[in-house]
Amino acid sequence: MLKPLGDRVVLKAEEEEKTVGGIVLASNAKDKPTTGKVIAVGAGRTLDNGQVVAVSVKEGDKVLFDKYAGREVEYDGEKYLVVHEKDLVAVID
Amino acid sequence: MLKPLGDRVVLKAEEEEKTVGGIVLASNAKDKPTTGKVIAVGAGRTLDNGQVVAVSVKEGDKVLFDKYAGREVEYDGEKYLVVHEKDLVAVID
Amino acid sequence: MLKPLGDRVVLKAEEEEKTVGGIVLASNAKDKPTTGKVIAVGAGRTLDNGQVVAVSVKEGDKVLFDKYAGREVEYDGEKYLVVHEKDLVAVID
Amino acid sequence: MLKPLGDRVVLKAEEEEKTVGGIVLASNAKDKPTTGKVIAVGAGRTLDNGQVVAVSVKEGDKVLFDKYAGREVEYDGEKYLVVHEKDLVAVID
Amino acid sequence: MLKPLGDRVVLKAEEEEKTVGGIVLASNAKDKPTTGKVIAVGAGRTLDNGQVVAVSVKEGDKVLFDKYAGREVEYDGEKYLVVHEKDLVAVID
Amino acid sequence: MLKPLGDRVVLKAEEEEKTVGGIVLASNAKDKPTTGKVIAVGAGRTLDNGQVVAVSVKEGDKVLFDKYAGREVEYDGEKYLVVHEKDLVAVID
Amino acid sequence: MLKPLGDRVVLKAEEEEKTVGGIVLASNAKDKPTTGKVIAVGAGRTLDNGQVVAVSVKEGDKVLFDKYAGREVEYDGEKYLVVHEKDLVAVID
């Protein structure tokens, strides 16, 4: 199991141009956000006062995120992306 | 439904040069702000002390925002922009 | 009505070189501040501790501000500038 | 009257190379500080906790300041400089 | 013994392309994260309020980390990497 | 008298290559620290919480400081340097 | 005596390639950390809340530090390095 650290989120990226709950990535997707599914979330972000703020999305959420953010990883033969919470744009429900 | 995260706001951008409540975008709109309607707002911005400050605009507001800010998304066949609150310049009422 | 957001201020810029309360913009006004009248002010700046600090100028004040700051907008046929409070240099009274 | 905002200070710059209380600006005054007299001071700097810290110089003080700091303004036929407190190097008394 | 300081972590890097708990580093591993084993962890990160936040991984954990982060050291004939906690992407368990 | 502001310190710089309490500036003094004597210190540095932290050196101390830091000033025919406390490296006693 | 200021540490750098408690600096030591002995430590780092956090190493410790950090000084005929605590990577014991 991939357990992301801090405010990171593991995503299963959707294929481009496929509609996900109505989201179509326009062709000139220069820096258009991409969609994906949340696989796992970290414990959250530690603030200057030591408080930990939980990640605002949960496993199974469909999300829109910045295409060029995060790190690509292959795990058990599957490709995943690990992004920081700040790179998540919206939840699609 | 597109639910923006953090202090983000989903906008329906107005066409340029059309007057919106009297706002005309001058022709040499190099970096002139653009107008749009608020479709949805995030939960707000988390401060260093853990407090969440609500977004200062609400659904339905007409706003002026920085033209080059935000991400463009197509959802259910409609084009939207997702911007951060800091990119909103003024409310037009 | 244009309601500026956060610590922004809507200004009606004065013409250059005209004296405003004795202020003359020297010819080589490379980056000389410019003068203008305050039309509207935002709610103020939110600090890290959540406190909102009111803007230190009010409607009707004559101000000196950094010439290259802010965004230009046309509203009801009039040209305005929307600047952040930090771009205001002094009040002229 | 020019009322500077925040932690700004209005100065009447002294002519270079003239001794002011013994201060001589060396010829190769590439980035040597310059001297001037304090004409007016702002309310002070607002800290992250909302506290306002008064400016540490007062009207009439002779000061040494960073030559390339601040904005030049002409007011009632006189030239002034408006600088931030951080650009003041020392008081000469 | 190598005792890392602050929020640093000493890692024993795994060879590339070897699967570690299912993690395969894709060939065009331009900036793909790499895997390794935690050998030692520092006391933690000191926050602005003086509180020390412990490192979120422990000795023996298998981790994914940013390939270009950290410093390489040879100790008792073995090669190690010393990274900051922020360069750790996920724990693989 | 030169009264430095904030966390600044007025120094009388020593001539290079002269030993000061055993300190010799190596010839290839590309960015080697230089030595000097403390002439006057400012009130100290104001922190985000409004507290003023006194400068950690006092008049008469011999110090090592970053050669390219600070401003050069001539006062009553003598050359001085005004530096920020952060540019002081060590006290030589 | 050299008394470092703030969170600085005076080090006696070891010669490269010599093993220090098993540490060998690999030949292509592009930016490999170097080893050294702690000679003196400063009072510590002042946080935003005024608290002083002591330096986490003590006189006599053997440390690994970033090779290009700090300032070189000669004192009583000996060469020393003065670095900030953040440039110390690990203690070797």
Side-chain angles (χ1 to χ4, degrees):
Chain A
M1 237 275 280
L2 260 181
K3 283 167 58 185
L5 290 167
D7 71 344
R8 290 181 180 85
V9 174
V10 177
L11 299 176
K12 184 72 186 145
E14 303 287 342
E15 293 317 308
E16 297 265 335
E17 294 307 329
K18 227 189 65 194
T19 73
V20 171
I23 294 276
V24 172
L25 277 304
S27 57
N28 61 352
K30 188 174 55 49
D31 62 357
K32 290 277 164 49
T34 315
T35 61
K37 205 175 104 181
V38 173
I39 304 300
V41 300
R45 176 163 65 101
T46 305
L47 299 180
D48 282 351
N49 63 2
Q51 188 186 331
V52 177
V53 180
V55 175
S56 55
V57 297
K58 61 184 183 318
E59 207 184 304
D61 279 351
K62 277 210 175 63
V63 290
L64 204 58
F65 61 95
D66 279 324
K67 183 174 176 126
Y68 299 107
R71 293 278 181 278
E72 199 187 90
V73 167
E74 230 179 276
Y75 178 65
D76 277 357
E78 290 277 332
K79 270 196 191 169
Y80 297 96
L81 263 176
V82 184
V83 302
H84 283 283
E85 181 181 19
K86 68 175 176 53
D87 299 319
L88 301 179
V89 174
V91 171
I92 310 152
D93 68 6
Chain B
M1 235 276 279
L2 260 181
K3 282 168 57 185
L5 290 167
D7 72 344
R8 291 180 179 85
V9 174
V10 178
L11 299 176
K12 184 70 186 147
E14 304 286 343
E15 293 316 309
E16 297 265 333
E17 293 307 331
K18 226 187 68 194
T19 73
V20 171
I23 295 275
V24 171
L25 276 305
S27 57
N28 60 354
K30 188 176 55 49
D31 60 358
K32 290 277 165 42
T34 316
T35 61
K37 206 175 104 181
V38 173
I39 303 300
V41 301
R45 177 163 64 100
T46 305
L47 299 179
D48 280 352
N49 63 2
Q51 188 185 330
V52 177
V53 179
V55 175
S56 55
V57 297
K58 61 185 182 317
E59 206 185 303
D61 279 351
K62 277 210 175 63
V63 291
L64 204 59
F65 60 95
D66 279 324
K67 184 172 173 127
Y68 299 108
R71 292 280 181 276
E72 198 188 89
V73 167
E74 230 179 276
Y75 178 65
D76 278 356
E78 289 278 331
K79 270 194 191 170
Y80 296 97
L81 263 176
V82 184
V83 302
H84 283 282
E85 182 181 17
K86 68 175 175 54
D87 299 318
L88 301 179
V89 174
V91 171
I92 310 151
D93 68 2
Chain C
M1 236 276 277
L2 260 181
K3 282 167 57 184
L5 289 167
D7 72 344
R8 291 180 179 85
V9 174
V10 177
L11 299 176
K12 184 71 185 144
E14 303 287 342
E15 293 316 309
E16 299 263 334
E17 294 306 333
K18 226 186 67 194
T19 74
V20 171
I23 295 277
V24 171
L25 277 305
S27 56
N28 61 352
K30 188 177 56 51
D31 61 356
K32 290 279 166 42
T34 316
T35 61
K37 205 175 102 179
V38 173
I39 303 300
V41 300
R45 177 163 64 100
T46 305
L47 299 180
D48 281 351
N49 63 3
Q51 186 185 333
V52 177
V53 179
V55 174
S56 55
V57 297
K58 60 186 181 318
E59 207 184 304
D61 279 352
K62 278 210 174 63
V63 291
L64 204 58
F65 60 96
D66 279 323
K67 186 172 171 125
Y68 299 107
R71 292 281 182 277
E72 198 188 276
V73 168
E74 229 179 278
Y75 178 66
D76 276 356
E78 290 279 329
K79 270 194 190 170
Y80 297 97
L81 264 176
V82 183
V83 302
H84 283 282
E85 182 180 17
K86 69 175 174 55
D87 300 317
L88 301 178
V89 174
V91 171
I92 311 151
D93 69 3
Chain D
M1 238 275 279
L2 260 181
K3 282 167 59 184
L5 288 167
D7 72 343
R8 290 180 179 84
V9 174
V10 177
L11 299 176
K12 185 73 185 139
E14 302 288 342
E15 293 316 308
E16 299 262 333
E17 297 304 335
K18 226 187 67 192
T19 73
V20 171
I23 295 275
V24 172
L25 278 303
S27 57
N28 60 353
K30 189 176 56 53
D31 61 356
K32 291 280 166 45
T34 317
T35 61
K37 206 176 105 182
V38 173
I39 303 300
V41 300
R45 178 163 64 99
T46 304
L47 299 180
D48 282 352
N49 63 1
Q51 186 185 334
V52 176
V53 179
V55 174
S56 54
V57 297
K58 61 189 181 315
E59 209 185 302
D61 278 352
K62 278 210 174 67
V63 290
L64 205 58
F65 61 96
D66 278 323
K67 186 175 172 124
Y68 298 108
R71 292 280 182 276
E72 200 188 88
V73 168
E74 232 179 276
Y75 178 66
D76 277 357
E78 290 278 332
K79 271 193 189 169
Y80 297 98
L81 264 175
V82 183
V83 302
H84 283 282
E85 182 180 18
K86 68 174 176 52
D87 300 317
L88 301 178
V89 174
V91 170
I92 311 152
D93 70 3
Chain E
M1 237 275 281
L2 260 182
K3 283 167 61 184
L5 290 167
D7 72 344
R8 290 181 179 86
V9 174
V10 177
L11 299 175
K12 185 74 186 144
E14 303 288 339
E15 292 316 307
E16 298 265 335
E17 294 307 328
K18 225 188 67 193
T19 75
V20 171
I23 295 277
V24 172
L25 277 305
S27 56
N28 62 352
K30 190 176 55 53
D31 62 357
K32 292 277 164 50
T34 315
T35 60
K37 205 174 105 181
V38 173
I39 304 299
V41 300
R45 178 164 62 102
T46 304
L47 299 180
D48 281 351
N49 63 1
Q51 188 185 331
V52 176
V53 179
V55 175
S56 55
V57 298
K58 61 185 183 318
E59 207 184 303
D61 278 352
K62 275 210 177 62
V63 291
L64 205 59
F65 60 95
D66 279 323
K67 183 174 175 123
Y68 299 107
R71 292 280 181 278
E72 199 188 275
V73 168
E74 231 179 274
Y75 178 65
D76 278 357
E78 291 277 334
K79 270 194 191 168
Y80 297 96
L81 263 176
V82 183
V83 301
H84 284 282
E85 181 180 18
K86 67 176 178 52
D87 299 319
L88 301 179
V89 175
V91 171
I92 312 153
D93 69 4
Chain F
M1 237 273 283
L2 260 181
K3 283 168 60 184
L5 288 167
D7 71 344
R8 290 179 179 85
V9 174
V10 177
L11 298 175
K12 185 74 186 139
E14 302 288 340
E15 292 317 306
E16 298 261 334
E17 295 305 333
K18 225 188 67 194
T19 72
V20 170
I23 294 276
V24 172
L25 277 304
S27 58
N28 61 352
K30 189 174 59 50
D31 61 355
K32 291 279 164 51
T34 317
T35 60
K37 205 175 104 181
V38 174
I39 304 301
V41 299
R45 177 163 64 100
T46 305
L47 300 180
D48 281 352
N49 63 2
Q51 187 186 331
V52 177
V53 180
V55 174
S56 54
V57 298
K58 61 186 181 317
E59 208 184 303
D61 279 351
K62 276 209 177 68
V63 291
L64 204 60
F65 60 96
D66 278 322
K67 185 176 174 121
Y68 298 108
R71 292 281 181 277
E72 200 188 274
V73 168
E74 232 179 275
Y75 178 66
D76 278 357
E78 290 278 332
K79 270 194 190 168
Y80 298 98
L81 264 176
V82 184
V83 301
H84 283 282
E85 182 180 17
K86 68 175 176 52
D87 300 317
L88 301 178
V89 175
V91 171
I92 311 151
D93 69 2
Chain G
M1 238 272 283
L2 260 182
K3 283 168 60 185
L5 289 167
D7 71 344
R8 291 180 179 86
V9 174
V10 177
L11 299 175
K12 185 74 185 139
E14 302 288 340
E15 293 317 307
E16 299 262 336
E17 295 306 329
K18 224 189 67 194
T19 74
V20 171
I23 294 277
V24 172
L25 275 305
S27 57
N28 62 353
K30 189 175 56 53
D31 62 355
K32 291 281 164 52
T34 316
T35 60
K37 205 174 106 183
V38 174
I39 304 300
V41 299
R45 177 163 63 101
T46 305
L47 300 180
D48 281 351
N49 64 1
Q51 187 185 332
V52 177
V53 180
V55 174
S56 54
V57 297
K58 60 184 181 319
E59 209 184 301
D61 280 351
K62 276 211 175 63
V63 291
L64 205 59
F65 60 96
D66 279 323
K67 186 175 173 119
Y68 299 108
R71 292 281 182 277
E72 200 188 89
V73 168
E74 231 179 274
Y75 178 66
D76 277 358
E78 290 278 331
K79 268 194 192 168
Y80 298 97
L81 263 176
V82 183
V83 301
H84 284 283
E85 182 180 17
K86 67 174 177 52
D87 299 318
L88 300 179
V89 175
V91 171
I92 311 153
D93 69 2

